[in-house]
Amino acid sequence: MSKYKIPSLVAALALVLGACATATTLPAVTTTAAPGTTAAAPSTTAAPSTTAAPGTTAAANPLADYGEDPTAADLGLVEKALGPVDPSDEASWNIILASIARAQQDVGLIDTAKALECWSQPQCDTGSDGELVMGYADGGGNDVNVWRSVSHMEAVLQALSYPEIGRIISTHADFSTDLAAHEATISFLVQAGVDFIVGYPDAGVGLRNVLLAAKEAGIPYTSFSAGWVGLPDQEGALVPGEDYLTVVGEDLCALGTSFADVLNTGIGTGKAAMLGGTPNNALSLGWQRCTQSELASTIELVNPMANENTTAGDTYWYPPAIPPVFNSLLTANPDINGYAYEYADGVWYGLPTYDELGIPVKNLTLALRTDEQNLFCDWAQRDEPTYNIYYSAGGNFQSRVSVTAAIMNTKGATIPGEIVVPHVMRAVTEADCNEARPNAAVSGTSLVPEDILAAMFAG
């Protein structure tokens, strides 16, 4: 075991649900631009409108033929997982809602011991006698950071809600720099004869051959957290919906534009840096392209991308690798005024560098994707009015969406090649610091029940 156990609903809930939501002070984000393209600047969030409460709509369940019910999704859990978002396209939103509907099962019915077994062991029998075998392939793993660990548990819990799934096999590469280790996470599952694979492809287009082999074997692959196997314009990229089943995640260019909007407003004139995860992964690459292109001319990007296919500020999302990246940036540019990064807890691991270099944490704006409590509680304790954080959502639950999409596919449903998860940027407040969280690095937006989180991190 590694010692590093770390890491707007302003409109209808889609076709079937409705609600009132509180508008944020940040601009809403559209989700129409394809990753790798420049999205138009988002417009200001409109005041929320009142719509019918869940259960009052006469709309029929659009996924009844596939054993799902998006109309049953609880508004509170949707808001918890995503914030006050505008729904994405109909096909995507219905699958997202159906996934969340399964997440709201009575926690008293969850077999905690079985969930922990399937999360912690390479293989488990779910006890359902189901015929399907789910494969879970992670380029990271339970022990590299908390985000990966929690996302794995989200997928396990979703799988346990399906009696059709009788066995789960999980593999991981632990952020290895050896491509063969990442390929092995997929090839092992193919050889084991799983019925479908859910995962995050850290190696991007490096997984092209092994995923094509999975396709040839009739095994659908579904990625989450915007895990494109190469962005659409990259050489060697696979095509979701053709070469693999689907990619679940945010519109990356829209996310990058949101980050740029936050930095443009928060910094005005000054310096900014971009941070990313594993080198050239599609998630970081997709948003970085559009953040870089949408930054105002008054902002100097101190570490621009070397080219359109190369990520900047690679941290591997791995705690020990993060402080050296901050040290390099701050030694050359002690007056950095803002960062864009998809990993909030990564900033928390970098902040001690400020103290080591004698640089005050002031006049700083952060544009982030995830919402780990470590950083938010540290922000609250600092009580520095010139230091502001904006975030979207942790996104752990997206692995649940991948499981649901894969199961629907086995029942003959047409799954869109991209399941677009809407997002909105929110300002961090003291209420976002939950010191009672079982692990301070767990995202506040995770849908894993508290008792299971406590059991996961008891050691």
Side-chain angles (χ1 to χ4, degrees):
M1 294 286 287
S2 167
K3 65 180 179 180
Y4 299 104
K5 291 191 78 174
I6 46 132
S8 269
L9 282 177
V10 296
L13 252 185
L15 305 175
V16 293
L17 297 175
C20 293
T22 302
T24 65
T25 57
L26 286 175
V29 178
T30 58
T31 55
T32 54
T37 64
T38 301
S43 58
T44 303
T45 303
S49 59
T50 302
T51 56
T56 62
T57 177
N61 173 8
L63 301 182
D65 290 345
Y66 311 108
E68 306 295 342
D69 188 3
T71 70
D74 179 78
L75 174 61
L77 280 189
V78 176
E79 180 99 10
K80 174 180 171 63
L82 293 167
V85 296
D86 286 321
S88 49
D89 65 277
E90 176 183 350
S92 294
W93 191 238
N94 280 332
I95 296 174
I96 291 168
L97 292 181
S99 303
I100 294 177
R102 284 184 173 270
Q104 69 199 44
Q105 60 188 305
D106 184 351
V107 294
L109 298 179
I110 296 175
D111 185 337
T112 300
K114 178 59 67 176
L116 291 171
E117 175 193 348
C118 293
W119 166 76
S120 62
Q121 300 301 315
Q123 299 190 37
C124 79
D125 185 324
T126 67
S128 72
D129 294 325
E131 295 182 354
L132 297 181
V133 179
M134 180 178 93
Y136 188 89
D138 191 358
N142 283 1
D143 299 327
V144 293
N145 67 38
V146 166
W147 192 93
R148 295 300 178 115
S149 182
V150 174
S151 295
H152 186 193
M153 178 56 86
E154 300 259 17
V156 165
L157 291 173
Q158 196 78 350
L160 292 177
S161 77
Y162 288 99
E164 301 96 318
I165 299 176
R167 194 152 60 100
I168 301 172
I169 305 176
S170 300
T171 58
H172 54 89
D174 287 335
F175 290 155
S176 173
T177 57
D178 183 0
L179 175 61
H182 293 265
E183 291 178 314
T185 65
I186 306 293
S187 60
F188 178 86
L189 296 174
V190 172
Q191 293 165 15
V194 300
D195 292 284
F196 63 90
I197 299 171
V198 169
Y200 185 80
D202 288 88
V205 294
L207 296 178
R208 173 184 174 85
N209 291 336
V210 71
L211 285 176
L212 288 177
K215 176 188 176 182
E216 182 67 21
I219 301 173
Y221 175 80
T222 302
S223 68
F224 60 91
S225 197
W228 292 76
V229 186
L231 295 177
D233 61 351
Q234 287 186 284
E235 183 178 355
L238 296 185
V239 180
E242 296 180 18
D243 299 319
Y244 57 107
L245 181 60
T246 187
V247 55
V248 177
E250 297 92 330
D251 178 317
L252 292 179
C253 194
L255 182 65
T257 298
S258 296
F259 287 173
D261 287 346
V262 167
L263 296 180
N264 290 342
T265 301
I267 297 175
T269 299
K271 296 180 178 180
M274 297 191 302
L275 300 170
T278 48
N280 308 323
N281 77 88
L283 168 59
S284 298
L285 182 63
W287 71 255
Q288 284 189 3
R289 284 176 169 183
C290 293
T291 295
Q292 181 165 311
S293 67
E294 294 298 314
L295 283 174
S297 60
T298 55
I299 295 180
E300 176 189 350
L301 184 59
V302 302
N303 64 335
M305 301 163 64
N307 57 63
E308 65 176 6
N309 292 314
T310 303
T311 48
D314 299 331
T315 67
Y316 287 84
W317 297 308
Y318 183 52
I322 293 170
V325 176
F326 272 80
N327 187 284
S328 177
L329 289 170
L330 289 168
T331 298
N333 300 278
D335 53 345
I336 289 177
N337 303 111
Y339 298 90
Y341 194 16
E342 66 275 283
Y343 182 32
D345 208 43
V347 176
W348 184 76
Y349 276 92
L351 283 180
T353 307
Y354 276 82
D355 295 331
E356 294 168 6
L357 298 177
I359 301 172
V361 181
K362 295 183 177 181
N363 300 311
L364 192 62
T365 298
L366 305 181
L368 307 170
R369 180 181 184 238
T370 63
D371 60 328
E372 286 81 9
Q373 306 295 286
N374 275 330
L375 180 66
F376 293 178
C377 291
D378 177 88
W379 170 87
Q381 292 167 4
R382 290 178 186 274
D383 193 25
E384 170 52 53
T386 66
Y387 171 34
N388 297 288
I389 302 175
Y390 298 87
Y391 75 100
S392 175
N396 298 112
F397 91 100
Q398 291 184 20
S399 63
R400 291 178 180 266
V401 182
S402 288
V403 175
T404 291
I407 290 294
M408 288 176 58
N409 176 67
T410 68
K411 298 178 180 180
T414 299
I415 306 299
E418 180 181 1
I419 298 176
V420 180
V421 178
H423 78 278
V424 65
M425 299 299 290
R426 297 174 273 180
V428 169
T429 68
E430 290 188 6
D432 292 309
C433 168
N434 178 6
E435 294 182 345
R437 203 72 167 151
N439 184 302
V442 174
S443 294
T445 52
S446 168
L447 298 184
V448 175
E450 293 291 312
D451 61 330
I452 293 181
L453 288 171
M456 289 168 64
F457 300 110

